[in-house]
Structure formats: C-alpha cells, structure tokens
Amino acid sequence: MSDRRRLLLFASPLLVPLLVLAIMHFGTGKGSLLQFAAIAVLTGGAGAVVFVNYRATLNLIRELKSKLHGLHKTRHVVEYNTDGTIIWANDLFLKLLGYRLDERVGHHHRMFVDADTAQSAEYRDMWARLARGEFVEQRVKRNTARGNIWVINNYTPVFDTKGRPYKVVNWMADITAYQSQEKVVAALVEGLNKLAAGDLQARIDQVFDGEYETLRHTFNAAVAHSQDAMRSVLSATDVIGRDASGIAHAATDLSQRTEQQAASLEETAAAL
C-alpha cells in the first residue's frame, strides 16, 4: 500500500462530519453557513494534526524497519514460543548452525544444548524467566550440525498489546574465534609464568584451534631449544670447572716442588 493511500485511510474518519454537515446544509437547508464554516475549520485543523502525526509515525516506522533490517544482516536471529519451541530463524542463524528452516521449526530449543544442560534446574529456570517477560543474556557453548561453537545469546521477550509475553527473540553472536583467543592467551601466560619461575620443563599440552596450533608448537620448540642451550652451558661450565681444578692442582704441585728445590739449595749452601 502506498503512503498516499495509507494517509487517506487514516484521515477518512475526519471527513465524515464535514460530509454530513454539507448534506444537511445543501440537501435539507437545516445547517447554517456559520456551522458549516466552523466545522470545516475544526475538521481541517484536526486533519492537519493527523497529517503531522501520521508523517512522524511513518518516519519512526521506517527508521525501526531500517534498524531491524541491519540487525538481521549482522546478527544470528531465532524466534521461539515462550515454551522454547522454534518458530522462525534468519539465514545467518541457519547457516551458522548448518540447518534448514523447515528442519528446525517446531523443535525445542534443547536441541542446541547437551543432555545435562537440558535436564538442569538452571535451564528450566531460564525459560520460566523468559515466560515471565525477563531478559536473559548468556555466554555459552552450543551444538550445531558441524560441531560446537561459542555464542553470546540475548533472549528478548516480545509483548502483546496487553503487556503479556507471547514469544522470545534471541539475538545471537558467534564468539568462537574470541573464545579460542582467550584460551590461547591463558595457556601462554601460564607457560611464561613457569619459565619465569625457572621451570624449563614447561610445555603447552592443550591443543589450540586452527592457526593457533602453530603458535603452541613454536612455544614448545623455543622452550626445548632454551633447555638444550642451558644443558650446553652447564656442560661447558662443568668442563671449565674441571680444567680450572686441574690447573689449580698443577700450580699447587709446582709450588711444592719449587719449595722443595729452594730447601735443597739452602741445605747445599749451608754445607758449603
């Protein structure tokens, strides 16, 4: 429907009094010209107010539609009934989780969580809160058709005209890459702290995701090289220590022989 037709439909009730008065005035002659003019002015003023309010409302609707369109282009969106049944999802959500819409509609949200979570009191409480109209935010691991991912869920209840929640919209963001980075940073910090404490046996055994696995191997190789270098230094120090001990022993022996020779010379000189 065009904006012009919407405006005509919206303002048409205001034209009824003017039309009735025109019929009374020109058709029956019972309406006065003053009454006709007064109602015409009032109807025109009301129409102007309606037109201004209509334009403002239409602009607000367009703005909200644009914002919603932008969110659907950047966020993974899925809608549920208040009992957790899936009723709709956008393309980004379906692509991320590896499903088609017709495969998921009618299924319960618990398909995205593990069995222990689905049976937990916290999980039941979450849906009870959403059914009461409360907002819920989570940072959790979710099951997909291709494995597990980490996401931030923003569950937002939607209310009807009577203020009662009738569905829940989840604005989801994929943070799997960020979660991997945090895991990598934590492991590196732990390994570096061990090295700072003098532990050359420190290694990162936890496997990293994707390209970060190269970083783990590089860290372990660097520590191994440092350990080998330290062994070489210790070995060289031991050799130097042994050589120094030999030199000291030789010097002591030389000194003793020198003293003995000096004593012999003194005895010979005394005899002469």
Side-chain angles (χ1 to χ4, degrees):
M1 183 183 295
S2 67
D3 291 347
R4 183 175 296 178
R5 289 187 177 181
R6 289 194 184 95
L7 179 59
L8 182 60
L9 183 63
F10 193 69
S12 57
L14 297 174
L15 301 177
V16 174
L18 185 61
L19 180 61
V20 171
L21 187 59
I23 293 173
M24 290 176 60
H25 182 76
F26 295 106
T28 65
K30 295 181 179 180
S32 67
L33 184 60
L34 182 61
Q35 288 176 332
F36 182 81
I39 292 182
V41 170
L42 293 175
T43 303
V49 172
V50 168
F51 178 77
V52 171
N53 289 337
Y54 170 78
R55 297 302 300 181
T57 302
L58 185 61
N59 289 336
L60 178 60
I61 292 174
R62 286 173 174 168
E63 179 181 347
L64 292 175
K65 287 178 64 176
S66 297
K67 291 179 179 179
L68 188 61
H69 179 74
L71 286 172
H72 278 281
K73 287 293 185 181
T74 58
R75 299 294 293 271
H76 309 81
V77 186
V78 56
E79 296 182 0
Y80 303 91
N81 288 322
T82 53
D83 63 357
T85 305
I86 301 170
I87 56 179
W88 180 84
N90 71 352
D91 291 338
L92 286 179
F93 179 89
L94 296 170
K95 182 178 180 180
L96 177 65
L97 273 68
Y99 298 119
R100 297 195 315 271
L101 183 60
D102 59 353
E103 294 177 327
R104 301 302 96 192
V105 170
H107 291 266
H108 195 272
H109 174 276
R110 68 175 62 92
M111 67 172 294
F112 301 130
V113 303
D114 56 61
D116 291 338
T117 300
Q119 299 299 323
S120 67
E122 291 80 4
Y123 184 76
R124 293 191 297 271
D125 179 66
M126 181 192 79
W127 283 105
R129 290 174 58 194
L130 291 170
R132 293 194 299 267
E134 298 180 26
F135 174 84
V136 175
E137 183 177 21
Q138 296 176 326
R139 179 174 177 165
V140 293
K141 182 167 63 175
R142 284 288 178 257
N143 298 333
T144 74
R146 294 183 290 268
N148 295 326
I149 60 174
W150 283 90
V151 299
I152 291 180
N153 289 322
N154 293 285
Y155 295 98
T156 306
V158 179
F159 300 88
D160 60 19
T161 55
K162 296 182 179 179
R164 297 173 301 191
Y166 70 96
K167 70 177 180 179
V168 175
V169 179
N170 178 19
W171 307 91
M172 188 176 74
D174 179 17
I175 60 168
T176 305
Y178 301 108
Q179 191 73 17
S180 298
Q181 291 174 359
E182 289 184 357
K183 183 174 69 173
V184 169
V185 170
L188 287 174
V189 168
E190 182 182 0
L192 291 172
N193 286 335
K194 290 181 178 179
L195 288 177
D199 182 8
L200 293 180
Q201 301 292 332
R203 297 291 188 278
I204 298 177
D205 297 323
Q206 182 181 10
V207 177
F208 291 163
D209 296 329
E211 61 186 6
Y212 298 115
E213 181 64 3
T214 301
L215 182 59
R216 183 179 76 92
H217 287 301
T218 302
F219 176 88
N220 289 341
V223 175
H225 289 319
S226 298
Q227 191 176 29
D228 292 340
M230 186 59 67
R231 288 197 186 101
S232 299
V233 170
L234 291 175
S235 177
T237 301
D238 184 58
V239 171
I240 293 173
R242 289 197 301 269
D243 291 344
S245 177
I247 293 172
H249 180 73
T252 300
D253 185 60
L254 178 61
S255 176
Q256 290 176 349
R257 289 200 301 270
T258 301
E259 291 178 355
Q260 291 174 357
Q261 291 174 356
S264 297
L265 289 173
E266 289 179 359
E267 291 178 358
T268 301
L272 294 174

